[in-house]
Structure formats: structure tokens, C-alpha cells
Amino acid sequence: MSFKVLLKKDWKQVSILWMLLVVLSVIVFTVPTWTQLDDFNREIENIRANPSSYEGVPLDASNLPDRWFFESGDSVGMLYNGLMSLIPMGMVIFLYVVFGLLMASVLIGGERNSQMSDFSMSLPFTRTQLYISKWLIGASGFIVATLLGGPLLMAIIHLSDFSFLIQPKDLEVSIMILFMMLTGISVFSISLWMGSFGGESISQALWSFVALLFPIGIISLIEGSLYTFERFIDVSYSLTQVWMESIPLRVISPLANIFNIDTYDIFRSNGLWEDFVTVAPLSALASIVISFGLGLWTFNRAPQENNGRFFMFSNWLWLVHLVMVLCFGMLGGIMLSAITFSANIVLYIVGFAIGGFIAHLLAKRLLYRFNLKLKS
């Protein structure tokens, strides 16, 4: 049986989301840029009509070229973020994160909800082929969306009156757009990997959410806990910042990779640009490779008989249980000790016990007794 059969099956499952991703991506890439260009025109016309109302603007502002308003070092020039304000990076990445979670949850979790996974496993294909087919369908959505939206974005700027902003930066903008695409595929790959742990779509979405937040969250919990015991141990207040900027964390956490990008000054500072281009895209690519490899490994070992359970690997339940207790315990300790002006160890211990106990009850319910109903 041809591999195209698998691709067609997975395409039918996710085709609506796939096409919606492409359409919305084109809109998100172009409409904010078009709107920002229009805002530039209106603001410059307003400054030219009332130059005396703006500090540092010559009275003969009507003769000033558009370029002056972006290159001037005075307060007027600082009103604009220049090229970066024309690139809707935050909106595109948010869209990619949402659709990365949705498509992965449909491709694996949704298949288990409808019990189609049993049919898929009966086909003359290996689990490796099943997983690769799902990954190719999902990743292609981000590639097509970016290849359509990115060039349109650049064309709109080039054809505007502010083309001087992008003309010397075509390569930089292309790399920025490539980074958005890699980030979307990275989030999708991580969420698809989580499909090996969640027994249906809701639990897969929850585990995907945990996987995205956990690397940053655990660092914050550890630092908050260490701060409580600062009278006994030496605590570095920059611990979170150091870890957040580390390459290993940027590889395993797409969110940490994004948070390390200074979107306002990245095109103005050579140092910031060099840091971005040498670390951010490569970290996103490494994240894709690692999450794809781990996802393929776990998907091949996920027990099919545990479909519908909140967590599919029975042998790992004790570890998940322990991590939940520790994380909720640290969160409870930090929240309770924050009541006083200075960190209070007694309150932290009480809060840790309360948070850990609640997590223990939650884990018993979700991990050992909770089995979601599958659609017939």
C-alpha cells in the first residue's frame, strides 16, 4: 500500500485546520503591516502640518523626506520602531502556537477519540510511518503559510512609500520570517510528541500546554523556593535570567527562545542581530529535531490499550505523580510565604504541604482512576 494513502487519511482529518491556518497567516502577515504603513502616513502628515507641536522638528517640515522621520535621533525619530514595527512577529507566532496545538491534537488525540487509531494501527504501515505522515501534514501547513504570507509582507513594504526601511534589510527580514516558521513547526512537533502521552485530544492538549510552560515554570519555582531559604544559602537573584538566556533552555523551550529576542532593537543593533541569527533559528531547528526524534520513539512504544487514559505510560505514573507533587508543593509554598513582607520558611513549609497534598489528590484522580469516554 502506498504511503500516499496515509497522507490522504491524515489530510482529511486536519484539512480544515490546515487551510484555515494558511488563510489566517496571509491575513496576519499582511493586514497589520498595511495598517501600520497607513499609520505612518497619517502621523507624518500630522507632524508636517503642525511642526511647532513637536520638539526637534524644523518649521519647514513639509520639505523633509519621509526617511528623516525614521533616521532622526530626536524624540520624533524615536516615535517609530522602524522596520520591526512593520513585521507582526508576535501575532504570527501566537497564531502558529495555537494552530500547532490544535493540529497535533486532532492528528493523534482526535484519532483516538473517534477510535480511528485502532484502524490506523491495522493498516500495513509501521508506527514510524504513521507518525511521519502526521508530522509531514502538519509541518507542511506552516511551510505553505509562511511561503505565502512572508513574501506578501515584504512586497507590501517594498511597494510602499517606506520601502527604504526594508531595502537594505531583505536578508534580515527573510531570516526573521524563517524563524517564525521554525517556531511554529517546533511547537507543533512538541505537541505531536505529547500525543504519545495523552490518551485523547483533551489530555494531549493539556500535556502540550505543560510541555511548553514546564521548562520556564520549573526554573521560576526553583528560584522562588531558593529565595525563601536565602538566609541559609547564597541565592543568585539573576538565576532565572541566566537560565533563560542559556542555549539548552532555548532549545527545549520555544517560549524561552522567543522571550530572548529584543523585537524593538534587533534591526538597530549589530550585536543583538548577531545574537539572534546565530542562536534563535538554530535553537528552533534543534528543538524540531529533538522533539521529532523523541516523539517518534515514544509513539512507537505507546500502549494502544491505554487509549482514553489521561496518561498512557503506566510504568511512568510514579514519576509524573512525584513531579506534580513537587511542583504544586513549591507553588503553594511560594504563594503562602509571599503573604509576609520577607520570605517566611514556616509559611513556605505549610504551603508546600498543602500544595503537595492537593497535587497528590489530583494525581490520584487523573493518573490512576480517570479514563475519558471515547466517541463510538
Side-chain angles (χ1 to χ4, degrees), residues 124-340:
F125 296 104
T126 65
R127 287 197 179 192
T128 297
Q129 291 173 309
L130 294 174
Y131 190 85
I132 291 176
S133 173
K134 298 177 187 301
W135 187 87
L136 288 175
I137 289 295
S140 66
F142 297 98
I143 294 173
V144 173
T146 306
L147 291 179
L148 289 177
L152 283 175
L153 161 71
M154 298 178 67
I156 289 174
I157 303 175
H158 271 289
L159 296 174
S160 71
D161 295 333
F162 306 99
S163 58
F164 55 84
L165 291 174
I166 195 175
Q167 285 172 352
K169 300 286 186 180
D170 279 318
L171 178 60
E172 287 88 340
V173 174
S174 299
I175 295 175
M176 179 71 73
I177 293 172
L178 174 65
F179 169 72
M180 298 180 202
M181 182 188 73
L182 291 176
T183 300
I185 298 176
S186 174
V187 172
F188 168 74
S189 299
I190 291 174
S191 184
L192 199 67
W193 171 27
M194 292 299 106
S196 301
F197 300 105
E200 46 74 64
S201 57
I202 297 177
S203 57
Q204 180 182 350
L206 290 174
W207 284 118
S208 300
F209 185 72
V210 170
L212 290 177
L213 294 182
F214 182 78
I216 299 175
I218 193 64
I219 290 174
S220 301
L221 290 175
I222 291 174
E223 184 175 36
S225 298
L226 291 177
Y227 173 73
T228 305
F229 296 92
E230 65 174 339
R231 67 183 67 179
F232 301 109
I233 57 177
D234 183 22
V235 179
S236 173
Y237 294 97
S238 61
L239 183 64
T240 300
Q241 182 178 357
V242 172
W243 286 353
M244 282 285 291
E245 295 175 353
S246 66
I247 293 180
L249 185 64
R250 296 181 69 168
V251 169
I252 64 176
S253 173
L255 297 184
N257 201 20
I258 296 169
F259 293 157
N260 274 281
I261 300 174
D262 190 334
T263 56
Y264 291 100
D265 295 324
I266 191 170
F267 289 128
R268 295 182 178 181
S269 170
N270 290 333
L272 289 175
W273 172 253
E274 290 176 1
D275 174 70
F276 166 77
V277 76
T278 56
V279 178
L282 294 178
S283 297
L285 184 60
S287 176
I288 294 172
V289 173
I290 293 173
S291 56
F292 174 80
L294 290 173
L296 190 59
W297 184 79
T298 53
F299 187 78
N300 275 302
R301 289 158 179 78
Q304 186 71 5
E305 64 272 14
N306 284 344
N307 279 1
R309 295 188 64 84
F310 186 76
F311 189 78
M312 294 189 64
F313 289 90
S314 302
N315 294 337
W316 297 357
L317 289 176
W318 67 272
L319 180 60
V320 179
H321 192 154
L322 178 62
V323 172
M324 287 181 63
V325 170
L326 290 177
C327 289
F328 275 80
M330 286 189 288
L331 178 62
I334 294 171
M335 293 178 63
L336 195 60
S337 64
I339 295 176
T340 58

